[in-house]
Every structure is written in structure tokens, then in C-alpha cells.
Amino acid sequence: MPKHYLLPITLPLSLLWAGVLHLRHWLYDKAWLKQEVLKQVPTICVGNLSFGGTGKTPMVEYLIRLLQPQYNHIGVLSRGYRRKTRGFVLANNQTAVTDIGDEPFQFKRKFAEVMVAVCEDRAAGVKAMLAQQSPPQVIILDDAYQHRAVKAQKNILLTTYQHPFSTDNLFPMGQLRDVKSRAQAADIVVVTKCPATLSEKDKDQMKAQLGHYYKGTIVFATIAYDKKVYANESSTPLIAYAKEPFTLVTGIANPVPLIAYLQAQGAVFQHLSFPDHHHFSADEIERLKRAGRILTTEKDYVRLEGTLPNLHYLPIAMQFLSKEDEQLFGTLFGM
């Protein structure tokens, strides 16, 4: 059914949702809803205005690496989407991926020295982290742009080059979960998943487009894929791995860039797509065992590790398009 056929349904729902959001933000702005202002430690919020797929996980990892020279104790607080626990959970060496969710588990797996915690109530979560014996000196609030119960000192807003928030609509007409005017709260906007060869002209056009809603600093970043694929303690050059056919398994919001990248490497594969943060059932695992060599994302790997033979993952990282973009971003943190 063409999209415009749904307008009689989606437009009223989007307008209703917009009214609810504007009321909520007005209540926070007028202090009718309580907002925690933390003075003990710096807080950095990473988020977006849309439903997933903007590169929050690579951004959090980039921030951790950026902040490590300045801080001995870094904390990351997430909601823990699709975990099988509730309330505040502090990750440790015995924590399972189902206890905290795949993305927080990935953070703890890669950065063992970082305090990683999850909590639906961000204010309660931050207080619980600060109450620990060795509290963090800085806290990164993962996917917290719409959670105004904690007022972060710095706000990083992510939007993709392919689907910038400026051209999108509120759900269910579009993929936005918050109003465009909320972009004004950002200290910096990072346009993610850009083509590596993005021209200055295209950058200027994007800045002009976003400038209708945001007047601050805008920088551009792309996805940097690792040169190797990994499995437990072993690694294989991607070029060598891609010489033989394999099955690509993804449970992420937008696998299109990964598919395009692998195809550009000349890889031959079949793609099995699952919903974002998908918990694989026993039947699905059995079917995947018959698929032969499997390549997946790092986020999916932490949920599939130990269940499948011949399982590898391809890590990604966030990379700014220019030194100027990198320096502008670093300036936000006094680098």
C-alpha cells in the first residue's frame, strides 16, 4: 500500500505524539518535572532523535578512548535494552549478556576497566554509580538524549547522513521519537555514516539543511571497518576470509552499510536479517549451525558467542572525516 494511503491514520497519531512531547518538554523547562543536575562529576549524553541505527555504540567507544588519558575511572550508564533483568545492574566479570543487554555487555567486554551499569531510571542509575566504593570521575549517558531526568553537562546528538532528522517526521509518519526542536539542546551534532569521500559542497548542504533546527557546531563521521574478522582469541584478515562464501547474520537496526561494504570487498554471502537486539531461539540457533561459516556484527557476536561453530565478527569504529572535524569534537572535552 502506498505510504500516502496511511496518512489519515499516521498524521493524527504523529500530531498527538508531538503534543505529548511538547507538553513533556514544557514541564521540564518550567521545572514542573524534576531534573537532576549533577555537580559531582562531568556527564556526557550521547543520543539521537530517531529510533536507533545512528551509531551510538561506536560513539560511546570513541568517547571512552578519548577520555581515558584524562580519567582513570570512566562510567557508562545505559538502559540495557531487551535485557532480562530490571532496575540497577552493575556489570562485573560474571555478568551475562542477558543481564545488561548486548551493547553494555560489549562495552564491558572491550573495556574491562570501565564501570558499566544499566538502569531504566537514569537519575537513580547515576546515583547508584556514584555511591560505589570507587565511583567514576566522568559518566557517559548512552542513548539518553530523550531522558531529561538527568541534565547532562554535554550533549552529543547523532544523525545519519542518509536519514538526517531534519527531513524526517515523528513516528508513526517517520522514524523520529522526539521533536526536531530538541536539537537545540545539543552542544554538537555529529552526522554519522557519511560516505568516506563526502565533498565539502555536500557538507555545506547538510549543514544548511540541519541549520533550520540547529545553529551550533556540526561535524561529520563515517564507519571504519576493521581489517580483520575475529573469533575468540583468533583473527583472520577480512580479505582472506572473504575469499570463500559465508553467511552474514545481523540483528541490528540498519545492516545496509555493512552489506554494501562487504560487497565492495568482493565477498560472496547470503544475508540472514533479524530484528535489532534479537534474542536467538534454540530453533534459530540450530538452523544457523547448518549455515556453515557465519560472519556477524560485534553486537550480535556477544549474543551468539559459544552457540555456533565457525562464528566470526567484524568490528567497526567511528572515524571523523577530517582532522578539523576531529579537533572540533575534541575541543568540546577540552582536548
Side-chain angles (χ1 to χ4, degrees), residues 15-33 148 170 178-179 181-182:
L15 291 174
L16 177 62
W17 182 228
V20 171
L21 290 170
H22 281 294
L23 175 61
R24 176 176 177 270
H25 291 310
W26 182 82
L27 290 172
Y28 271 115
D29 292 340
K30 297 299 182 181
W32 284 84
L33 291 178
R148 295 191 60 183
L170 274 174
D178 209 340
V179 292
S181 58
R182 273 291 291 158

Side-chain angles (χ1 to χ4, degrees), residues 67-335:
L67 295 170
Q68 280 177 329
Q70 297 181 71
Y71 300 99
N72 293 322
H73 301 291
I74 298 173
V76 176
L77 178 65
S78 298
R79 174 190 172 188
Y81 185 68
R82 295 209 66 187
R83 60 187 170 118
K84 295 184 177 180
T85 59
R86 294 184 63 82
F88 178 78
V89 179
L90 185 65
N92 56 41
N93 294 335
Q94 286 73 48
T95 303
V97 64
T98 52
D99 295 333
I100 58 175
D102 48 18
E103 289 160 347
F105 189 86
Q106 179 177 319
F107 298 147
K108 191 62 179 178
R109 186 172 176 270
K110 294 179 80 167
F111 306 98
E113 71 282 4
V114 169
M115 178 185 290
V116 176
V118 295
C119 191
E120 302 90 341
D121 185 332
R122 303 304 173 105
V126 168
K127 290 177 181 178
M129 294 177 78
L130 293 175
Q132 301 301 310
Q133 189 170 3
S134 297
Q137 299 165 306
V138 58
I139 296 177
I140 301 170
L141 302 170
D142 174 35
D143 194 16
Y145 200 83
Q146 72 279 16
H147 293 279
R148 295 191 60 183
V150 176
K151 184 175 175 60
Q153 294 174 9
K154 299 290 184 181
N155 285 292
I156 302 169
L157 179 63
L158 308 181
T159 190
T160 66
Y161 178 77
Q162 295 77 12
H163 302 287
F165 71 83
S166 55
T167 60
D168 207 344
N169 294 298
L170 274 174
F171 183 82
M173 283 189 67
Q175 290 299 307
L176 294 184
R177 59 178 171 179
D178 209 340
V179 292
K180 297 176 186 180
S181 58
R182 273 291 291 158
Q184 298 171 11
D187 293 280
I188 193 168
V189 168
V190 182
V191 183
T192 60
K193 301 187 179 182
C194 296
T197 56
L198 190 67
S199 68
E200 291 301 317
K201 180 181 177 181
D202 289 334
K203 284 184 179 182
D204 289 341
Q205 289 177 345
M206 179 61 71
K207 287 179 179 179
Q209 188 182 106
L210 295 173
H212 292 293
Y213 305 97
Y214 176 73
K215 305 300 181 183
T217 303
I218 300 172
V219 295
F220 297 83
T222 189
I223 296 172
Y225 292 92
D226 204 294
K227 300 297 184 183
K228 295 181 179 181
V229 299
Y230 297 82
N232 295 325
E233 302 299 323
S234 65
S235 63
T236 305
L238 176 61
I239 294 175
Y241 184 87
K243 287 182 178 179
E244 298 293 333
F246 59 88
T247 298
L248 176 66
V249 175
T250 61
I252 57 178
N254 181 19
V256 173
L258 174 58
I259 293 169
Y261 177 76
L262 291 173
Q263 289 173 338
Q265 308 309 304
V268 177
F269 57 92
Q270 66 166 328
H271 178 213
L272 299 179
S273 180
F274 296 87
D276 197 15
H277 303 280
H278 180 68
H279 286 296
F280 294 90
S281 68
D283 288 342
E284 289 169 338
I285 295 295
E286 287 303 313
R287 287 199 296 271
L288 290 177
K289 285 180 179 178
R290 299 191 291 269
R293 295 194 315 156
I294 291 178
L295 180 67
T296 191
T297 69
E298 189 170 8
K299 188 173 82 169
D300 293 309
Y301 182 83
V302 300
R303 284 180 276 114
L304 288 168
E305 186 178 11
T307 64
L308 297 171
N310 296 321
L311 179 66
H312 290 75
Y313 68 92
L314 178 64
I316 63 172
M318 198 203 68
Q319 179 178 298
F320 288 105
L321 289 188
S322 69
K323 284 292 182 183
E324 181 184 6
D325 287 332
E326 187 176 354
Q327 289 167 359
L328 283 170
F329 185 86
T331 300
L332 183 65
F333 304 99
M335 302 296 290

Side-chain angles (χ1 to χ4, degrees), residues 3-13 173:
K3 231 175 187 179
H4 64 271
Y5 281 71
L6 297 174
L7 277 177
I9 299 173
T10 58
L11 180 58
L13 290 174
M173 283 189 67

